[in-house]
Amino acid sequence: MDLFEKLQELRDQGLSEIDKAKTEEKLNDVRVKLVGRKSELTEILHSMKDVEPEKRREIGQKVNKVRDLFNQKLDDAKNEIVEKLVKEQLEKEAIDVTLPGREEHLGTKHPINIILDDLEKYFIGMGFKVAQGPEIETDHYCFEMMNLPKDHPARDMQETFYIDSEDLLRSQTSGDQARELEKHDFSKGPLKMVGPGKVYRRDDDDATHSHQFMQMEGLVVDKNITMGDLKGTLELMAKHVFGQDRETRLRPSYFPFTEPSVEMDVSCFNCNGKGCSICKYTGWIEVLGAGMVHPNVLENAGVDSNVYGGFAFGVGLDRFAILKYGIDDIRDFYTNDVRFLEQFSKEER
Ligand code: PHE
């Protein structure tokens, strides 16, 4: 076979190899083989010394032409491969701008916390301090200090979860009164405090009962505190929470730690006192218990009841939230369904 034929064969074979190389890696191998230093084309050039001088020029030109063709085709093939890769990559990473966006889910404040935070601020503004007692409370603070000795019949008013004979899940926040009374230095001024927190009772859960709920205790003790102070304080709070045009009334009641004891009603915000299903056709809604601190409670904590007196109140925060937001099932507060929780005051995050 003469060199011309050989070149022709090399050319055809080379072109078909370039055609078959579908990755950059394979193409590189082909490039080395076809136009590298040890390629057959180079070999032909080296063997030119054996060729008759008049043919050398022609063969030289032909070799260069084949090499140029190879280089050209190799470059084209490489570009094609790179373009294909880029296209694939772009397709893979393409963003569908017509897809709906993903909403960010920020938490919202729990409705009870909205009311609690608001009330805390309200009372702090009136010079109260916030004092919290333990949820696992002792019989001593929860009951005995609060004028409820061991066999007092009024203990039945609160079905209590006992842990052992002394420790219990507090059924009321009233123990906070005793703890603060014991600590307070009356030479420095009156004691004014609110004590919010969780309480527990052995109740069967239904739409209006929960074995866990939130209370806020209130206590003011000083010289010359009267029932008028109690009434004024509670009335202002009720108007703050339920609206300025609400009316309040006090009804006589009984609590072992207050004497006299009262319950406060707020005029029904739904029917404005005319009577509806929310107020059970009475025009009034009961919102809290209160009274003048029983002298025994003061004495138990070492406070002279002949010099000092005061008032106390206990607010059911769940009840406040139920009334304020028109919620018909107390269990919604504790089952943590975000669809329920999200409804309250978006700005209160
Ligand atoms: N502790 C009482 C209750 O849970 C409420 C209350 C508190 C009443 C303070 C009077 C004074 O029912």
Side-chain angles (χ1 to χ4, degrees), residues 44-299:
I44 290 176
L45 285 179
H46 285 322
S47 63
M48 291 272 269
K49 52 187 182 318
D50 308 328
V51 175
E52 311 97 84
E54 58 277 16
K55 275 193 173 174
R56 276 187 199 161
R57 193 176 135 87
E58 207 182 331
I59 289 181
Q61 278 175 346
K62 185 88 183 161
V63 168
N64 283 339
K65 238 172 124 186
V66 173
R67 187 194 283 116
D68 288 348
L69 181 68
F70 281 169
N71 277 328
Q72 181 63 43
K73 291 284 173 195
L74 283 162
D75 288 349
D76 289 352
K78 182 169 176 183
N79 286 342
E80 212 174 286
I81 288 170
V82 170
E83 253 171 52
K84 201 170 149 226
L85 276 179
V86 170
K87 205 172 146 216
E88 275 171 10
Q89 183 91 359
L90 282 176
E91 266 164 26
K92 215 166 62 193
E93 291 174 2
I95 296 168
D96 182 352
V97 291
T98 65
L99 278 178
R102 278 194 210 112
E103 202 187 328
E104 290 279 348
H105 280 284
L106 278 180
T108 51
K109 243 194 215 177
H110 193 283
I112 292 183
N113 280 341
I114 294 175
I115 296 211
L116 171 55
D117 290 353
D118 175 60
L119 278 176
E120 274 187 8
K121 247 189 250 159
Y122 175 77
F123 278 106
I124 287 169
M126 299 212 299
F128 284 60
K129 72 168 179 172
V130 178
Q132 281 178 306
E135 272 174 51
I136 296 178
E137 183 54 287
T138 55
D139 186 280
H140 175 72
Y141 280 109
C142 195
F143 294 129
E144 293 201 42
M145 288 287 280
M146 298 310 291
N147 198 31
L148 273 149
K150 283 255 167 4
D151 47 10
H152 196 292
R155 283 197 177 210
D156 292 347
M157 287 166 75
Q158 298 175 7
E159 295 273 332
T160 309
F161 286 112
Y162 275 89
I163 294 165
D164 51 43
S165 58
E166 182 52 24
D167 299 304
L168 46 85
L169 290 181
R170 64 179 175 186
S171 52
Q172 55 180 1
T173 44
S174 296
D176 297 359
Q177 290 189 36
R179 289 178 177 276
E180 290 307 309
L181 277 169
E182 264 183 352
K183 273 193 276 184
H184 190 72
D185 179 357
F186 282 92
S187 71
K188 300 222 163 88
L191 169 59
K192 292 160 83 178
M193 68 119 204
V194 285
K198 288 197 189 92
V199 297
Y200 304 85
R201 287 187 197 174
R202 285 194 290 120
D203 250 333
D204 287 329
D205 291 1
D206 61 25
T208 54
H209 296 87
S210 167
H211 63 280
Q212 176 205 307
F213 54 102
M214 289 282 283
Q215 271 193 343
M216 191 179 73
E217 199 73 15
L219 176 69
V220 172
V221 175
D222 197 4
K223 292 172 183 159
N224 307 318
I225 300 284
T226 69
M227 193 110 183
D229 297 317
L230 166 68
K231 189 161 192 280
T233 305
L234 295 183
E235 204 170 292
L236 283 176
M237 171 179 70
K239 288 188 176 191
H240 173 75
V241 176
F242 297 110
Q244 291 302 322
D245 46 358
R246 299 272 61 82
E247 283 174 34
T248 59
R249 73 175 183 188
L250 298 179
R251 276 181 295 103
S253 185
Y254 172 77
F255 299 104
F257 25 86
T258 46
E259 182 60 36
S261 300
V262 293
E263 274 170 315
M264 187 170 81
D265 297 338
V266 174
S267 61
C268 181
F269 46 83
N270 187 48
C271 62
N272 226 345
K274 283 194 224 47
C276 68
S277 61
I278 289 183
C279 60
K280 299 192 184 109
Y281 301 95
T282 62
W284 297 93
I285 294 173
E286 182 197 321
V287 292
L288 58 84
M292 303 309 288
V293 179
H294 196 291
N296 287 356
V297 173
L298 297 171
E299 295 295 337

